[in-house]
Amino acid sequence: MCRLTRRETWITPFTKQCFAVSSVVLNMISHGMTSGYNASLFSELRKTREIPLDVDSESWLASLIGVTLLVGSVVNSFVMEIIGRKPAILLSSVLTICGWISFSLASSFPALLIGKIFQGISVGIGGSVGSILIGEYTSPRYRGPFIAAVPTAILVGILISHTFGMFYGWHDLSSVLLFFSLPGLVVAVFSPESPSFLVTKGRYDECRKVFRWLRGTDEDNELETMIETDKILKKTKRAYTGTSQLIRIKLTYVVAAFKKREFRIPVIIMTHLNAILEFCGSIMSDVYALDVHTAFYGTDVYMFTVITSLDVLRLVATVSGIYITSRVKRRSMMLILVSLNVIVNLSIAGYIYVRQRGLLPFDHVAIGLFLHHFLYFIIGAGPMPLSVIISGEIFPLADRGLCSIISRITCSIYMFGDIKSAPYLFTIVGVEGVFGLYGLILAYSLVVTLIYLPETKDRTLQEVEDGFRGYAIGEREEALELKCKELKDDV
């Protein structure tokens, strides 16, 4: 009896949420490893020429993730909305493992492309569903830290790749990283389906069972509100079931969605948050580590040592960011940390420019080390956790799939443009010019984001959605009536 009591003491809703979220977190670690793998792959192939790569082929190999990420996002939208959130995470894990197998067997450029395609689609699927699934699994008071664990996991994966990259070649490294990707697949098999997905399919009893298993009975108000909202939506839609009407609904769905404030504003926010994430300097520095390191220090000596120290610092910063998100409002964090990101990007641009032209009265490697590490600290504490947290909080339930598609499309375009253009921009304006350009993009995106972004801390997903719709917290009946009216107007 005592043993059962002790077991019940530690198996709380929080521990159950931790287990469910771990399927996403482990998957994100695998995604981080795919990103960190680029440093070993490209730097070694440049030196050994084992598989010859010119600027065009290298840029295509690096930027292919932008295209495949989009493909994965489209695949995920169908899997997530039709089959479920859990199958989407399982598919992402399987594709990551297939990618590592391709790299471990690769002996030609096409084989490398196949590995990149597998892993790019995996990132597109997992990245789209990950933060959404965490938001649907977890309680509002835990949601911010849990979602912030996603960028932390990505950074852990990057750190794992860079650390083992000091000891293994790119071929052997892929086999090592394959081993680290297996736990994510195993945990995903035993994780529950999302309550939000179950409610959209009308499986209300199963939804209640999973929701209470995850959160206990203290949050039944949110559960019943979610079920009530879905019933009203389905009742309204059933009133218009003629064939011509259904076709018309399908054809006009996207246009109708953009007419709704609770859809349009989150899309605008995420478009600019994605720009902040993609142009903060992290992706360029990770993918083209050799070029950036040489620009900072004039040599590639100790590159992996410096990269590993940057990874550790960024990881510590992101963990700090997780703590800060549970204490500080989202808008305040956004203003302070992204503003610092703008300042440090412009400072790096100025430093590299004057150093390479011998205009500094005094220069020391410590200056470059400080700026480089400060950049990674700010990225880890600000843009990375904030973009992931907010993306899991602002999308409306009824249109979450479409919002996810649009968000991933913009992310794919930004990522492809960033990675594909970087080698050519290096030759035109230099690494310093790229950092300066990114600083300007960050400044613009920050201003637009702050104009539209409401405060989401400690609010349920339904309250956030109602806020975008224009209703104050607690005005449930009015919000439901408006939703019914909008659906009738759309039809």
Side-chain angles (χ1 to χ4, degrees):
M1 186 71 176
C2 181
R3 183 179 303 172
L4 181 60
T5 302
R6 289 176 181 173
R7 184 171 181 269
E8 291 178 345
T9 299
W10 69 267
I11 301 182
T12 63
F14 175 75
T15 57
K16 293 176 182 178
Q17 291 175 42
C18 287
F19 172 77
V21 168
S22 66
S23 64
V24 177
V25 172
L26 291 171
N27 198 262
M28 295 301 110
I29 291 176
S30 297
H31 293 174
M33 291 188 295
T34 65
S35 176
Y37 184 67
N38 288 323
S40 296
L41 178 65
F42 294 137
S43 62
E44 286 190 39
L45 289 180
R46 282 189 188 182
K47 295 175 182 178
T48 64
R49 309 297 295 176
E50 180 181 351
I51 300 177
L53 298 177
D54 55 20
V55 175
D56 288 333
S57 58
E58 181 179 329
S59 65
W60 273 112
L61 192 62
S63 62
L64 188 62
I65 187 173
V67 178
T68 53
L69 187 148
L70 178 58
V71 174
S73 299
V74 174
V75 171
N76 173 72
S77 66
F78 291 102
V79 175
M80 186 178 73
E81 296 297 332
I82 298 174
I83 304 177
R85 276 55 156 170
K86 177 180 175 179
I89 286 294
L90 286 169
L91 179 59
S92 178
S93 297
V94 170
L95 289 175
T96 298
I97 292 171
C98 290
W100 292 130
I101 294 174
S102 298
F103 282 124
S104 65
L105 301 175
S107 59
S108 63
F109 179 70
L112 295 177
L113 280 178
I114 292 173
K116 284 291 184 180
I117 290 172
F118 276 132
Q119 295 188 339
I121 295 175
S122 170
V123 172
I125 295 173
S128 298
V129 74
S131 58
I132 290 175
L133 188 55
I134 292 177
E136 294 173 349
Y137 273 153
T138 59
S139 302
R141 63 181 179 274
Y142 304 134
R143 189 177 62 229
F146 272 132
I147 296 178
V150 170
T152 305
I154 293 174
L155 296 180
V156 170
I158 294 174
L159 177 60
I160 291 172
S161 288
H162 289 164
T163 301
F164 283 95
M166 292 189 291
F167 308 105
Y168 294 97
W170 66 273
H171 254 134
D172 294 334
L173 180 60
S174 61
S175 300
V176 173
L177 300 181
L178 168 62
F179 171 79
F180 281 99
S181 297
L182 293 176
L185 177 61
V186 175
V187 175
V189 171
F190 296 100
S191 297
E193 183 54 89
S194 162
S196 296
F197 171 77
L198 296 174
V199 78
T200 60
K201 297 302 178 181
R203 296 154 63 179
Y204 299 132
D205 291 339
E206 190 176 351
C207 171
R208 288 187 177 95
K209 181 179 179 181
V210 174
F211 188 95
R212 288 166 180 161
W213 183 85
L214 286 168
R215 306 198 198 178
T217 57
D218 294 339
E219 300 178 29
D220 274 4
N221 184 53
E222 180 183 348
L223 169 63
E224 297 305 326
T225 298
M226 182 170 60
I227 293 175
E228 177 188 2
T229 302
D230 185 74
K231 286 181 178 178
I232 293 175
L233 286 171
K234 285 184 169 60
K235 183 178 180 181
T236 304
K237 291 177 180 179
R238 281 197 299 267
Y240 299 90
T241 56
T243 303
S244 61
Q245 290 176 320
L246 289 176
I247 295 174
R248 183 181 176 187
I249 288 173
K250 295 295 183 181
L251 293 176
T252 60
Y253 170 67
V254 174
V255 175
F258 272 99
K259 293 180 180 179
K260 297 185 290 186
R261 293 184 77 255
E262 69 269 25
F263 176 90
R264 186 173 61 253
I265 294 177
V267 167
I268 294 173
I269 292 171
M270 279 312 304
T271 298
H272 291 83
L273 276 177
N274 284 335
I276 291 173
L277 178 63
E278 297 300 328
F279 295 103
C280 64
S282 176
I283 293 178
M284 177 188 68
S285 299
D286 287 338
V287 174
Y288 299 108
L290 183 60
D291 300 278
V292 174
H293 189 88
T294 304
F296 265 103
Y297 312 108
T299 177
D300 63 347
V301 177
Y302 304 120
M303 184 183 76
F304 275 100
T305 303
V306 173
I307 289 176
T308 303
S309 69
L310 291 170
D311 291 338
V312 172
L313 177 64
R314 186 168 52 179
L315 178 59
V316 171
T318 304
V319 173
S320 302
I322 293 175
Y323 174 78
I324 295 172
T325 57
S326 65
R327 297 288 186 270
V328 181
K329 293 182 176 180
R330 311 284 194 254
R331 285 176 56 86
S332 299
M333 285 187 65
M334 179 71 64
L335 175 62
I336 295 171
L337 294 174
V338 178
S339 295
L340 286 174
N341 200 166
V342 173
I343 293 171
V344 72
N345 270 25
L346 296 177
S347 299
I348 289 172
Y351 168 72
I352 294 176
Y353 180 85
V354 297
R355 189 193 67 79
Q356 290 182 340
R357 289 158 181 79
L359 301 177
L360 283 175
F362 169 78
D363 188 23
H364 193 276
V365 68
I367 300 175
L369 284 171
F370 170 77
L371 289 173
H372 206 175
H373 283 74
F374 187 61
L375 171 67
Y376 269 61
F377 178 83
I378 293 300
I379 291 172
M384 291 195 69
L386 282 174
S387 61
V388 176
I389 290 171
I390 294 172
S391 69
E393 295 177 328
I394 63 176
F395 292 157
L397 176 60
D399 305 303
R400 197 160 289 168
L402 181 58
C403 285
S404 178
I405 292 175
I406 296 174
S407 177
R408 301 312 290 181
I409 287 174
T410 58
C411 185
S412 299
I413 293 172
Y414 294 152
M415 183 180 292
F416 179 80
D418 181 6
I419 301 175
K420 180 62 178 174
S421 64
Y424 304 101
L425 289 175
F426 290 160
T427 62
I428 298 172
V429 297
V431 174
E432 67 276 18
V434 176
F435 273 108
L437 176 62
Y438 287 3
L440 296 178
I441 294 174
L442 286 177
Y444 159 75
S445 300
L446 173 62
V447 171
V448 176
T449 300
L450 291 176
I451 290 173
Y452 288 101
L453 179 67
E455 186 53 59
T456 60
K457 184 178 182 295
D458 296 328
R459 296 174 63 184
T460 67
L461 300 180
Q462 190 63 55
E463 289 170 349
V464 173
E465 182 177 339
D466 291 342
F468 283 125
R469 190 178 289 114
Y471 280 83
I473 297 175
E475 297 179 341
R476 286 297 311 142
E477 294 301 323
E478 292 85 349
L480 290 174
E481 290 176 5
L482 178 63
K483 183 174 285 188
C484 292
K485 182 178 183 299
E486 288 173 342
L487 285 170
K488 292 177 182 178
D489 292 342
D490 291 345
V491 175

